Amino acid sequence: MSNRGNRAASSALACALFVSVTLSACSSGPAPAETLSAASPTAAASAATTSSTPATPAPLDARSAWNACAQVAQTEYVDKNDGSSIRPFSETTTLQTDGDGKTFVIVAVAPAHPIEGVGSIAIICSMSGTADAPHVDKWIMKDI
């Protein structure tokens, strides 16, 4: 055989060995232990980081404020005036801000009996706190 034949045979053998080694590395067998141990601490560290972060309280929203104010309306007007009722929460209800920058919400109450010139009673509550812990700071009642 000539040198040229030997070189071609050697190249073919080298190429076959390279392909064989490369394909055996892509087997579906278990991953090396180094890969598993490297992945586990990362997952544990990220889980520990997220679980130790305290939750930020949700800001006061219209529904939470309205619910707290409706309790005042129930106690201060409805319970004292048989037949009156709190009008349901409306999706158009919003938290409002007065001239002093204080947050308030309005709960409407239907009186038990018609009152001349009055369509409903408004309970206006000045609010503070969070959605989970709304606080009625003060309230007033008005005929509207």
Side-chain angles (χ1 to χ4, degrees), residues 60-113:
L60 185 65
D61 63 346
R63 181 63 179 212
S64 300
W66 188 90
N67 287 341
C69 191
Q71 290 176 356
V72 171
Q74 182 70 40
T75 303
E76 298 299 328
Y77 190 85
V78 175
D79 290 349
K80 297 175 182 177
N81 295 281
D82 287 337
S84 61
S85 62
I86 297 173
R87 294 202 171 125
F89 176 81
S90 168
E91 293 303 319
T92 61
T93 300
T94 60
L95 290 177
Q96 301 176 49
T97 306
D98 67 12
D100 295 331
K102 294 183 179 162
T103 301
F104 69 95
V105 69
I106 299 172
V107 173
V109 176
H113 307 288

Side-chain angles (χ1 to χ4, degrees), residues 4-135:
R4 192 185 250 175
N6 286 338
R7 224 181 293 167
S10 295
S11 292
L13 180 61
C15 199
L17 283 172
F18 177 76
V19 169
S20 176
V21 170
T22 302
L23 290 177
S24 68
C26 295
S27 71
S28 61
E34 296 81 34
T35 305
L36 294 176
S37 65
S40 295
T42 306
S46 65
T49 303
T50 47
S51 65
S52 65
T53 306
T56 303
L60 185 65
D61 63 346
R63 181 63 179 212
S64 300
W66 188 90
N67 287 341
C69 191
Q71 290 176 356
V72 171
Q74 182 70 40
T75 303
E76 298 299 328
Y77 190 85
V78 175
D79 290 349
K80 297 175 182 177
N81 295 281
D82 287 337
S84 61
S85 62
I86 297 173
R87 294 202 171 125
F89 176 81
S90 168
E91 293 303 319
T92 61
T93 300
T94 60
L95 290 177
Q96 301 176 49
T97 306
D98 67 12
D100 295 331
K102 294 183 179 162
T103 301
F104 69 95
V105 69
I106 299 172
V107 173
V109 176
H113 307 288
I115 302 170
E116 189 176 328
V118 176
S120 64
I121 308 298
I123 309 297
I124 305 165
C125 298
S126 294
M127 303 296 302
S128 62
T130 64
D132 294 332
H135 184 264

